[in-house]
Amino acid sequence: ENENTKAKESFFRWFYFSINLGSLVSFTVIAYICQNVSFSIGYTIPMIALLVGILIFVAAFKYYHIVPAQGSVLSIFIPILRHAL
């Protein structure tokens, strides 16, 4: 297995873990804060987390590997849609 495949697998494992951890926190901690502490604080915490995520996304833009599109997305999508129907 090459190094690039291992790096992608590791990234998506951590990504999936982070999504699930975020769901757990939102359904437990944030819900508790909204119900028992302050509704506005309960909404402020996710807002700050989203802003931090957007800032990280924008700050890291120079490190992205952008590959120009080749061909049409529809040429891939239409046969898949036809097969599904």
Side-chain angles (χ1 to χ4, degrees):
E1 233 176 284
N2 73 31
E3 192 64 32
N4 195 22
T5 302
K6 288 181 181 179
K8 284 181 186 178
E9 287 177 359
S10 176
F11 169 79
F12 282 106
R13 278 190 197 110
W14 280 108
F15 178 73
Y16 185 70
F17 174 77
S18 300
I19 294 294
N20 287 314
L21 183 63
S23 296
L24 177 68
V25 168
S26 69
F27 280 108
T28 56
V29 176
I30 300 301
Y32 176 83
I33 291 172
C34 281
Q35 292 175 1
N36 298 312
V37 178
S38 169
F39 197 75
S40 61
I41 292 174
Y43 267 88
T44 303
I45 294 170
M47 182 193 68
I48 291 170
L50 285 169
L51 288 175
V52 168
I54 290 170
L55 290 174
I56 291 171
F57 179 78
V58 170
F61 186 76
K62 63 183 175 183
Y63 299 108
Y64 297 158
H65 179 73
I66 300 172
V67 179
Q70 296 177 342
S72 171
V73 174
L74 292 177
S75 66
I76 298 169
F77 176 72
I78 298 297
I80 293 172
L81 182 63
R82 188 178 304 132
H83 181 73
L85 298 175

